[in-house]
Amino acid sequence: MEPMNHGPKSNVNFGAIVRGIDLNKLTDSDFEIIHKALHTHKLLVFKDQPQMLTPQNQYELTRRFDPDETTGGFAHGVDPFLTSHNGVDIYGLPNRPAIPIQPQVHILGRGPVPEGHYQFPPGFQVKGIDHQYFHLPPHITAEERESGKSRFYQWHFDGALYAIPPPRVGCLLAVQTPKGPDVTVQWDDGTGTEMKIAPGATAMVAGSRALELLDDKMRDVVYNSRIEYAPHCFEWMSTAHSTRLGHTIETEGLEKPLDKLKPWSADKICTYPMVWENPVTGEHSLQIHGQAAYKLFLKTRPDGEETVVSDLGEVRAFLHKLMRPALEPSNIYAHRHEEQDVILWYNRSLWHSITEFPESYGPRTMHQCNVAASDHPTAARQVTS
């Protein structure tokens, strides 16, 4: 177990490299080490795996973090039917197909999967993300993207944010990685900020760092306040534009009306605290999904008067103030995936985002597993001196 060294110019203080544990032959004692290490380091990178982690073992590793979760359900609910091949039904979405033999494990990325890959038909291609279909214009042109310009697509923690508690952990196996020079992520928010990262990297920020960057007055607010997330929030935001930084939604009135969403009920809406507590270390993290937020309930102390903010423009302006300070290159770790490596992260303390890369770099095939939790996040209690 080797803590990552991010260099003197970085404020990133999470992550560790793990060697000597074969995840396909995981023992109870191995898992005890992993469980403690993950809550301590928040991100673990497993190197030197003798063989590619199987979907069954990837699910087993992820499931162990929540033994009280008995449904084995995917964190975003039931997948729709996608296609079939040789009598095998495949479920999921074009950009997130489920692996038939272990449907809690999905393929993410872009381009063709390897031939004969877990019952997928020959030539099966995963639809990649493309910011031009989601971000506010102007977009990076196709020529600029092919030359290595990139964006953060969506800063988030994993979860449906409706009816289903967000996963405790996320797990990602690199099967195929894009090959080419590093790309340049552009903030495109008027600041001119840029950052060099590996192609196809997963970018991460610690919620504890975001909390640390707030002043005392704002910290009082986030410790005592809650966010209500929109029902079926991803369907709701699907007709709107993300900010170019990928952290909130532009307020243009383009969200899908609530009465046009698939059926929903008020008792399944998720309203979460802004600051969550790590149950093992006690660390506090600012965990907010700026794109899915629908309403704010703001207080400055536990017994204080509550202000309800329902204007979406005001909701997003407030969350921008909370999120933007942390979204600086010095606070971001962009993980360079290497084939056969596995990363495991504590989903209740980190934000992450996928990033774009040139098509000429080849396919990106990742196996992702996250499982609906048995519990909702625990609110952190502010310690005052």
Side-chain angles (χ1 to χ4, degrees), residues 141-269:
T141 67
E143 293 77 17
E144 289 173 325
R145 279 189 287 173
E146 196 57 32
S147 70
K149 301 295 185 182
S150 180
R151 278 199 187 160
F152 300 117
Y153 185 72
Q154 181 186 66
W155 286 104
H156 66 288
F157 57 86
D158 287 331
L161 299 175
Y162 173 76
I164 303 170
R168 295 183 182 180
V169 302
C171 184
L172 202 58
L173 162 70
V175 177
Q176 295 182 123
T177 59
K179 309 297 192 297
D182 287 356
V183 299
T184 302
V185 175
Q186 299 180 168
W187 268 236
D188 286 339
D189 64 350
T191 64
T193 310
E194 295 182 341
M195 181 180 182
K196 284 277 191 183
I197 66 168
T202 301
M204 297 185 170
V205 166
S208 57
R209 176 61 178 164
L211 181 62
E212 177 185 301
L213 289 169
L214 302 180
D215 61 31
D216 290 343
K217 183 177 179 181
M218 191 64 85
R219 207 173 289 124
D220 287 340
V221 174
V222 298
Y223 266 106
N224 295 289
S225 300
R226 299 171 296 142
I227 303 176
E228 178 184 311
Y229 292 101
H232 301 305
C233 59
F234 298 102
E235 180 187 1
W236 171 73
M237 73 174 77
S238 65
T239 51
H241 289 123
S242 166
T243 60
R244 300 184 192 100
L245 183 52
H247 67 317
T248 64
I249 295 292
E250 292 287 341
T251 305
E252 305 170 285
L254 297 178
E255 299 82 8
K256 196 171 184 179
L258 297 187
D259 61 359
K260 301 297 183 183
L261 300 175
K262 58 189 173 186
W264 60 274
S265 59
D267 62 319
K268 293 182 178 180
I269 287 175

Side-chain angles (χ1 to χ4, degrees), residues 42 207-209 211-212 223 275-278 281-286 349 379-383:
K42 295 177 280 196
S208 57
R209 176 61 178 164
L211 181 62
E212 177 185 301
Y223 266 106
V275 184
W276 301 0
E277 183 170 277
N278 182 318
T281 67
E283 183 182 56
H284 296 175
S285 296
L286 182 68
S349 69
R381 293 187 176 183
Q382 186 176 18
V383 177

